[in-house]
Amino acid sequence: MKNLLLSVAIGDIGGSTYEFDPQTDYDLIDLEADGSDYTDDSVCTFACAESLLTGRDMGESLWSHCRQDPNRGYGGRFRAWLYTTDYRPYNSFGNGSAMRCAAAAFLAGSEDDCLAKAELTALPTHNHPEGIKGAQATALAIYKLLHGATIEDIRRDVLLKYYPAQNFSYDQIKPGFRFDETCQHTVPAALITFIDSTSFTDCLKKAVALGGDADTLAAIAAPMAYAYFREMPDSLVRQAKRLLPEWMLKINDEVDSQFAKIGSATT
Ligand SMILES: [Mg+2]
């Protein structure tokens, strides 16, 4: 598989025009709408991947890449953290930990390794137990799907294990879905959206159509959908490659080649 980490950016970009202009009508959602662009979800995802690939300090990697690209819609507390002179974690359980963890799944050699790497991506800021849990549940779902899990496995072993009160379908959560940037709200919604989707594109449009934190919901669900359906439309791949800066495309390629090496070592 190629463009693993790019899948996150494709979700982010596809939802980007809807974050502050929600659209709940599925048929009106255009993942290539005018003004679509990458946001904080992509910057943070590729920064975390860089740290996992190179051993660069996770906090420093986030700090430097985000500060170099400041107008990407960072949350208020995260933005304040970016401009402090040290980087002490602030116990967040915002969905920022779930949106940036995907490389943990692509670079892991086992489920335990995936969980440990996901925790590393959360810790610089999202050291609250729910922040860490959001990253681990997201990364574990992606990891399991890359390694042959079924949709039912994800419902049972990720959604209901991490969020036992969330035994709902997409159609049950959509009415009255609200904008809520916590992991506890966003991660189960992204999992449920993936579980009830029929293709990569369907998953992204359903994530956006919840009318919530659209780019982040799509960025969390997209790598799950790619790991399961194993295809992404060429037009969305092209759009992401046109919009993302060179350093992210380089990290994307490095994650792909590292994933291929891990795959050939374990099979
Ligand atoms: Mg965003």
Side-chain angles (χ1 to χ4, degrees):
M1 287 175 80
K2 277 182 125 45
N3 294 320
L4 292 164
L5 209 55
L6 200 76
S7 65
V8 180
I10 288 172
D12 175 30
I13 292 165
S16 61
T17 63
Y18 300 101
E19 181 178 6
F20 301 112
D21 185 16
Q23 175 57 264
T24 54
D25 186 340
Y26 179 97
D27 294 325
L28 293 181
I29 288 163
D30 178 2
L31 299 173
E32 298 173 66
D34 287 349
S36 296
D37 204 350
Y38 74 92
T39 77
D40 53 344
D41 309 62
S42 296
V43 182
C44 293
T45 294
F46 285 83
C48 287
E50 181 196 72
S51 169
L52 292 177
L53 282 164
T54 65
R56 184 182 189 187
D57 178 81
M58 186 69 65
E60 188 188 298
S61 186
L62 279 165
W63 214 29
S64 78
H65 285 298
C66 295
R67 288 177 69 153
Q68 280 164 23
D69 202 348
N71 299 313
R72 294 290 164 184
Y74 304 101
R77 290 176 73 203
F78 185 80
R79 171 170 288 280
W81 176 82
L82 285 179
Y83 292 97
T84 52
T85 50
D86 55 7
Y87 25 84
R88 274 199 304 271
Y90 51 87
N91 212 32
S92 176
F93 51 81
N95 57 23
S97 60
M99 79 192 190
R100 73 189 191 210
C101 69
F106 300 134
L107 298 174
S110 68
E111 287 193 1
D112 285 346
D113 187 28
C114 172
L115 295 172
K117 284 182 162 63
E119 181 172 11
L120 286 179
T121 67
L123 284 177
T125 50
H126 290 57
N127 54 323
H128 187 284
E130 289 291 344
I132 295 168
K133 183 171 114 179
Q136 289 184 322
T138 300
L140 185 62
I142 300 165
Y143 182 88
K144 283 177 174 288
L145 290 161
L146 285 170
H147 297 273
T150 64
I151 297 248
E152 251 335 283
D153 294 335
I154 299 307
R155 187 199 309 276
R156 185 188 60 238
D157 298 336
V158 184
L159 176 64
L160 296 180
K161 184 171 156 227
Y162 285 84
Y163 301 99
Q166 296 285 335
N167 194 11
F168 298 116
S169 69
Y170 179 81
D171 291 338
Q172 286 174 306
I173 64 166
K174 188 167 188 286
F177 192 85
R178 61 190 199 287
F179 194 104
D180 177 329
E181 291 178 312
T182 65
C183 272
Q184 304 92 300
H185 182 77
T186 308
V187 175
L191 283 162
I192 289 165
T193 300
F194 160 68
I195 285 167
D196 282 347
S197 64
T198 56
S199 70
F200 182 81
T201 301
D202 180 54
C203 180
L204 266 54
K205 289 175 78 170
K206 280 190 169 124
V208 172
L210 285 171
D213 191 357
D215 56 330
T216 297
L217 281 158
I220 295 170
M224 298 177 195
Y226 185 41
Y228 182 72
F229 296 110
R230 311 263 157 145
E231 55 83 31
M232 300 189 285
D234 288 342
S235 62
L236 296 182
V237 172
R238 278 199 305 272
Q239 173 178 248
K241 289 197 167 176
R242 179 168 48 79
L243 291 168
L244 294 184
E246 199 53 45
W247 75 269
M248 290 194 207
L249 297 178
K250 191 163 160 272
I251 299 273
N252 176 56
D253 289 343
E254 285 171 17
V255 168
D256 285 347
S257 56
Q258 199 57 36
F259 178 75
K261 275 187 216 155
I262 296 164
S264 53
T266 54
T267 51

